[in-house]
């Protein structure tokens, strides 16, 4: 809770109006309003008098909320993480290398290298990162490469096992 909120809360808990507090401090009501809206801060003398009027310590008036501090710190870390990601997107040469083009060329080359493509297409998909330039295209081409290699491998195995050979049997009637 900010100082402004604590000042307003303590004033309301005492049942005092801004005008009453202003009269006791010899300041304008607008000054008290500024303090309670966070547009200004009381000087040290007025802070001492406010603590006496509200019957709370100066420390209690000025104390920062630890939960709020922790939330601000977490938000700053998140902002910094997003900033690093944005910086990398604007300058991909820094930090991690963009392997998008290399992976795309590799997976296209593997599409005609059956059965090697069956093994390497899934590896390329796993290595592909969302930060790569052609992330989605690499995944689509890898799946196509895998299917093409599966088909070619099936044909190669079929040729090896003579699945395509037609055996003709002619029955000659005995005369």
């Amino acid at each position: 809770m900010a100082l402004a909120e604590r000042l307003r809360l303590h004033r309301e808990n005492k049942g005092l109006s801004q005008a009453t507090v202003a009269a006791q401090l010899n300041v304008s009501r607008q000054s008290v309003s500024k303090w309670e809206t966070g547009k200004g801060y009381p000087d040290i003398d007025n802070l001492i008098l406010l603590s006496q009027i509200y019957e709370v310590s100066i420390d209690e008036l000025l104390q920062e909320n630890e939960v709020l501090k922790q939330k601000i710190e977490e938000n700053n870390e998140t902002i910094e993480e997003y900033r690093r990601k944005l910086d990398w997107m604007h300058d991909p040469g820094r930090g991690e290398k963009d392997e998008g083009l290399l992976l795309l060329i590799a997976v296209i080359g593997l599409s005609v290298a059956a059965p090697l493509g069956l093994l390497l297409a899934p590896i390329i998909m796993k290595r592909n990162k969302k930060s790569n330039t052609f992330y989605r295209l690499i995944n689509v081409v890898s799946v196509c490469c895998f299917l093409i290699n599966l088909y070619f491998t099936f044909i190669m195995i079929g040729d090896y096992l003579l699945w395509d050979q037609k055996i003709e049997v002619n029955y000659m009637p005995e005369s």
Side-chain angles (χ1 to χ4, degrees):
M1 185 183 313
L3 173 63
E5 294 173 12
R6 285 190 296 276
L7 289 173
R8 182 186 52 79
L9 183 68
H10 286 299
R11 179 184 55 78
E12 289 173 352
N13 286 344
K14 282 295 188 182
L16 301 172
S17 68
Q18 287 181 346
T20 307
V21 172
Q24 290 179 0
L25 296 174
N26 293 325
V27 296
S28 67
R29 188 203 55 79
Q30 289 81 3
S31 295
V32 176
S33 176
K34 278 185 188 179
W35 300 339
E36 291 183 359
T37 57
K39 294 179 182 173
Y41 298 101
D43 61 13
I44 191 68
D45 293 331
N46 286 329
L47 201 55
I48 293 169
L49 292 173
L50 283 169
S51 72
Q52 291 170 354
I53 292 169
Y54 299 151
E55 298 176 354
V56 294
S57 68
I58 295 175
D59 186 45
E60 190 174 336
L61 283 177
L62 296 176
Q63 181 182 3
E64 291 284 330
N65 188 340
E66 290 302 317
V67 175
L68 184 61
K69 272 185 176 179
Q70 185 177 0
K71 185 67 176 167
I72 289 170
E73 187 175 313
E74 289 172 7
N75 287 344
N76 287 340
E77 289 172 4
T78 304
I79 288 169
E80 185 59 33
E81 180 183 338
Y82 286 144
R83 184 172 288 129
R84 279 194 309 272
K85 286 180 181 180
L86 279 173
D87 288 345
W88 185 87
M89 290 174 80
H90 291 295
D91 186 13
R94 268 189 336 190
E96 296 181 32
K97 299 289 182 196
D98 183 8
E99 304 177 318
L101 187 60
L102 179 66
L103 291 175
L104 187 61
I105 291 169
V107 79
I108 289 172
L110 287 174
S111 63
V112 293
L116 190 59
L118 282 176
L119 302 172
L120 295 180
I123 293 172
I124 288 174
M125 285 180 69
K126 185 168 175 76
R127 182 165 178 102
N128 191 18
K129 299 178 200 127
K130 286 187 178 183
S131 60
N132 286 338
T133 331
F134 303 108
Y135 172 73
R136 289 185 180 164
L137 182 62
I138 291 169
N139 285 337
V140 169
V141 173
S142 294
V143 169
C144 293
C145 172
F146 184 81
L147 294 174
I148 289 169
N149 276 274
L150 190 63
Y151 176 72
F152 285 150
T153 304
F154 180 74
I155 289 174
M156 287 170 41
I157 291 172
D159 284 345
Y160 181 74
L161 297 176
L162 304 174
W163 287 344
D164 195 25
Q165 298 244 340
K166 293 182 182 174
I167 301 172
E168 290 185 30
V169 177
N170 290 330
Y171 290 102
M172 303 270 295
E174 288 185 29
S175 10

